[in-house]
Amino acid sequence: MLKRLAVLCGSLLGAMALAGCQGGRGDDGQFQTVVFQSSQDSGDRHVNVAFFWITADLDPAVDYHGWVTSRLGVGEALVRLNDDLELEGCIADSWENVDETTWRFHIRDGVTFSNGTPVTAESCMASLERAVSMNDRGAEYLKIDSMEARGQTLTIKTTEPNGALPNNLAEPVFIITDTSLGDEAIRQAPVCTGPYVVESFISEQTAELVKNQNYWGGEPGLDTVTVVQIPDSDARAMSLQSGEIDITNTIDNTSVTLFTDNPDYKVSSIISPRVNVAYMNHEDTSPLCDLELRRAVSFAVNREAYAGLIGGSPAHGAYSDAAPFGNETIVSFTYDQAQAERILEEAGYVDRDGDGFRENRDGSPMVLRYLQAADHGSADSAILAAAVQSDLKAVGIHMEILAVENLSDYQSQGNFDFYTANDNSAPTGDPQVWLETMYTGMGTSGKKNLTNYHNDEIDGIVEEMNRTFDAKGRYELASRASQILNDDAANLFLTNSYLNMVSVSRVKNAVQPVADYYFITKDITVE
């Protein structure tokens, strides 16, 4: 007999997940319970999955909602990234660079949307046009001048050379959807080409999936999937222990040890492209506009110790060591408290009043404001904030931690000295997007450069990347940029994040991908 567990409750908070409290309000405003179906007792191949984040809708063209649509195994793009962050064919099986502004993609024969409609170059073009028209990121990534569809051949002409274009098409904003269904249908249940189909969806709560009977890539390993949002890492861990969920990811280092070397569970973990960063304000309203102070701070933090606290590895620069962009060739900051103190003394940051903290050069009090917010359902940002505070105190720098929910408000006002983030340094497997977005003011992509960092050499490297079409050349440019950012002590690059996926033992082939907008794949199955 099918075992089901349903508990009505208003919200999920911490340990309440252990009691099975899940639910949300549907479009009609009525409370709806989430039913957990046990894969052990059902004849179906079913798993319950916990995500730390489910978006307000599933439209890939809206904001970063496509990342969730991709993680659900519902949406696919023309191309995808493998675990070496190399580009592979997906809906497109080949492509070529015709000239500096022309790219030609062949759409794989035999691919259909989940409703059985054939995927053609024309339907792919319609989907890309929609993404570009609705999303600034989509427009900036592709720089499209025109597109032409003939049969299964899609030709893209760009307004300028764009060496990053093939990699950028892997970003989930470019998930190929059946645009003929209209915006409302796409928001609630986009019809795409992935191994799973959305059967029902509750905004920011749950998604029920069924296998795509028309999937082009082979038989999906599951019949049905229930996905529920559990923002807190500890709550996800407890739900896994209680048997309510079968798979989750992003379990904090302090909890993942509960599942390692335990025959009831399997842990898949990798060093990811994500970097834990404390971004430093370069505006003259912050003491950190001074290079010497930034250098001292960069020597004062113990990255090795931080990696031991939260997992992962010490960061060497803006790009994670998981990205093939030449980190092994750059000179990076290492922990050196004596060097930090020497720089501070020589630069005129001294403790004049004997309270144990250094003042600004003009004798005014120096208190650095560190904005800390929860990130990706993890407690790591709070752990890192406390560790940085302790290390800076050891060299006489007073740092105040401000735990905030509305981080963007402080960022947009420039009301910070540091702000913390766990950011993907290679979201498309290519170095340009991240460099341009975070370290230039170029176009709309530079709108995330909230620290107002500027270096003409970095701007020049980004321009050169536009005209560089071979991967080796692009990686060499990225390595040059990494060294410049280190020489400028641009930010505190703390740790390369590790990602993990934890599953119960009866689940097979649940493997954590390096690109973290993949999760539920056709290969996952259950005994």
Side-chain angles (χ1 to χ4, degrees), residues 24-32 55-57 184-185 187-189 200-206:
R25 297 191 181 276
D27 295 335
D28 58 1
Q30 297 298 309
F31 193 88
Q32 302 180 27
T55 40
D57 65 53
E184 181 57 31
R187 284 192 289 269
Q188 291 298 307
S200 65
F201 173 73
I202 302 175
S203 177
E204 299 180 318
Q205 293 288 333
T206 64

Side-chain angles (χ1 to χ4, degrees), residues 9 32 44 220 398 411:
C9 64
Q32 302 180 27
D44 293 338
H398 189 181
Q411 291 170 323

